[in-house]
Amino acid sequence: MKVLVLGAGQLARMMALAGAPLNISISAYDVNSDSIVHPLTQQNLGKGLANAIADADVVTAEFEHIPLPVLAQCQQSGKFLPGETAIKAGGDRRLEKQLLDAAGVHSAAYHIVNSEVDFNAAISKLGLPLVFKSALAGYDGKGQWRLKQAEHTAALWQEISAFLAADSSQAIVAEQFIPFQREVSLIGARNRQGEVQVYPLTENHHVNGVLSASLALPGNEQLQQQAQQMFTAVANQLNYVGVLAIEFFDVNGKLLVNEIAPRVHNSGHWTQQGADVCQFEQHLRAVCNLPLGSSSLVRPSLMVNILGEDTVPEQILAIPGLHLHWYGKTKRAGRKMGHINVSGATTAELKARFETLISLLPEQAFPELAQMAARLN
Ligand code: AMP
């Protein structure tokens, strides 16, 4: 099978690595250079998008900020999964909110802001504090503003109106601020027959708005059920095929959707070592119409992101159950360069291995991991 992936980053790379044993070969479309590249070497394969679509059995995506004409071209081929509607919903917070409403799943109360009248209506309807999010091109907390005190309203409107004036395609989604205890995500897959397989919920720890570590959480049956029900509602609403990620706020045991990602997801990287079939292989199985694999947890696992560093102490490789995944990228401050997966036969063993890892990593580049370790009991 030949699969063309829209996007040529680490997610396409890891799909290629997972697809090789199944004889699934991956080529990747680099949106920035408008070229088809090899997902591991980034070598330009010298064919245009139209040829690559014609050559592929299946077209899929590894990120959602794709030019609309490209999405339309892929959709027209009849090979695109999960398809244009799902990718657009992941890239535009207005469509995402419509989708969540249509699926009947709870998310933060919101109001769409295109003008000063809307801005004031959002404040009176939702109250303070509020989070304002750009509708398009928002990720990792970028394109967000907070309003906590009424006296900052006028200054914030100045900022937001300048932002809206600079790009007529933009809008703002104003959201009620949610006082959550923690953030969790559910990764799962739906196939063409409508069967759903989800992984255990993952607890996510962010530093400065960027995912720092994810921990697979077996055992909270009530929360898992809630997440799975919401996952199935959203996936069915989209007639979704492939891996889908849903991020939630956990508010005293009640889940609210924060956002969806119509693709494999950073918080699911632990599945490479912790689950029967990893999210990358599962996505390929779903879009290639192969049977879904088991998504059960085989051992307690976690993932630590490597941000802005192109080396880590080699001694960490001596820790049992530890796997290092580099993405082959050039170093840049804050850039996702790779990740470390750690597994253990028991939670206690995982914790001990994680603590050894933390003692070997420079704290400045890997902050706040000790807090995460303290949660493992
Ligand atoms: P997002 O890009 O929407 O995932 O937002 C980035 C981060 O901002 C989230 O991971 C949350 O920590 C925080 N955040 C987003 N929306 C809200 C909200 N409505 N209430 C409280 N915190 C939020």
Side-chain angles (χ1 to χ4, degrees):
M1 286 282 251
K2 287 194 242 167
V3 176
L4 171 67
V5 180
L6 304 181
Q10 65 267 19
L11 303 178
R13 174 188 174 95
M14 289 185 276
M15 272 187 225
L17 293 169
L22 294 175
N23 265 353
I24 296 172
S25 69
I26 308 281
S27 53
Y29 174 65
D30 182 341
V31 173
N32 297 324
S33 63
D34 185 26
S35 53
I36 306 298
V37 301
H38 189 283
L40 301 183
T41 62
Q42 300 294 316
Q43 184 199 348
N44 191 325
L45 299 178
K47 55 177 162 179
L49 180 60
N51 283 335
I53 294 172
D55 281 355
D57 299 301
V58 174
V59 180
T60 189
E62 61 124 49
F63 87 135
E64 48 273 28
H65 302 296
I66 296 166
L68 298 183
V70 172
L71 286 183
Q73 190 180 355
C74 293
Q75 188 68 23
Q76 244 180 0
S77 72
K79 302 174 180 179
F80 190 25
L81 291 169
E84 192 180 19
T85 308
I87 301 297
K88 280 185 180 168
D92 184 333
R93 293 190 195 274
R94 289 164 291 191
L95 299 176
E96 187 178 40
K97 285 290 194 186
Q98 279 173 20
L99 163 69
L100 298 174
D101 290 347
V105 301
H106 295 299
S107 70
Y110 69 100
H111 193 77
I112 309 285
V113 175
N114 289 299
S115 66
E116 190 169 9
V117 171
D118 298 334
F119 179 75
N120 290 324
I123 296 169
S124 51
K125 176 176 149 191
L126 304 170
L128 299 186
L130 278 179
V131 183
F132 293 88
K133 302 181 178 183
S134 67
L136 304 171
Y139 64 96
D140 287 348
K142 292 185 177 64
Q144 288 197 13
W145 299 262
R146 306 276 163 108
L147 181 60
K148 291 182 186 146
Q149 288 148 319
E151 61 260 37
H152 297 144
T153 304
L156 182 62
W157 171 246
Q158 287 304 312
E159 237 182 275
I160 286 184
S161 59
F163 175 82
L164 290 174
D167 180 353
S168 61
S169 63
Q170 273 288 10
I172 298 290
V173 177
E175 253 186 29
Q176 219 161 41
F177 182 86
I178 305 298
F180 58 84
Q181 274 85 51
R182 58 185 185 147
E183 295 183 69
V184 297
S185 57
L186 192 74
I187 319 283
R190 183 178 182 276
N191 68 11
R192 294 186 197 185
Q193 292 73 43
E195 291 161 1
V196 167
Q197 282 270 357
V198 301
Y199 294 99
L201 270 172
T202 302
E203 181 172 312
N204 299 318
H205 188 75
H206 297 84
V207 177
N208 300 326
V210 180
L211 185 68
S212 151
S214 289
L215 164 65
L217 280 183
N220 192 332
E221 213 30 59
Q222 191 274 335
L223 219 56
Q224 180 78 22
Q225 288 293 324
Q226 237 188 96
Q228 184 162 348
Q229 182 269 322
M230 291 160 99
F231 179 97
T232 306
V234 172
N236 286 346
Q237 181 69 30
L238 287 167
N239 195 17
Y240 196 90
V241 177
V243 162
L244 167 73
I246 305 191
E247 295 182 54
F248 300 94
F249 298 131
D250 178 359
V251 189
N252 300 319
K254 184 172 179 298
L255 296 180
L256 285 180
V257 174
N258 173 27
E259 60 182 3
I260 68 157
R263 54 173 169 80
V264 289
H265 193 256
N266 195 168
S267 68
H269 291 357
W270 64 265
T271 62
Q272 290 170 311
Q273 269 75 45
D276 222 338
V277 169
C278 77
Q279 63 165 347
F280 303 101
E281 180 178 336
Q282 192 76 306
H283 180 70
L284 292 173
R285 287 185 185 218
V287 297
C288 294
N289 206 17
L290 298 168
L292 293 180
S294 154
S295 53
S296 32
L297 186 84
V298 290
R299 47 191 185 157
S301 296
L302 59 82
M303 179 226 57
V304 175
N305 265 341
I306 304 174
L307 302 170
E309 300 289 319
D310 59 0
T311 57
V312 288
E314 284 173 357
Q315 310 92 283
I316 69 167
L317 287 169
I319 300 172
L322 182 142
H323 293 260
L324 182 55
H325 299 260
W326 287 115
Y327 306 152
K329 293 191 201 168
T330 312
K331 181 173 168 169
R332 207 189 313 129
R335 194 174 196 195
K336 288 181 180 171
M337 300 292 292
H339 67 270
I340 303 164
N341 284 339
V342 189
S343 302
T346 60
T347 307
E349 188 172 74
L350 175 63
K351 184 173 185 168
R353 291 173 176 178
F354 189 28
E355 283 169 347
T356 308
L357 172 65
I358 294 168
S359 72
L360 292 170
L361 292 174
E363 201 192 337
Q364 207 190 359
F366 296 89
E368 299 182 24
L369 293 182
Q371 286 157 299
M372 195 78 178
R375 301 186 58 79
L376 278 168
N377 279 308

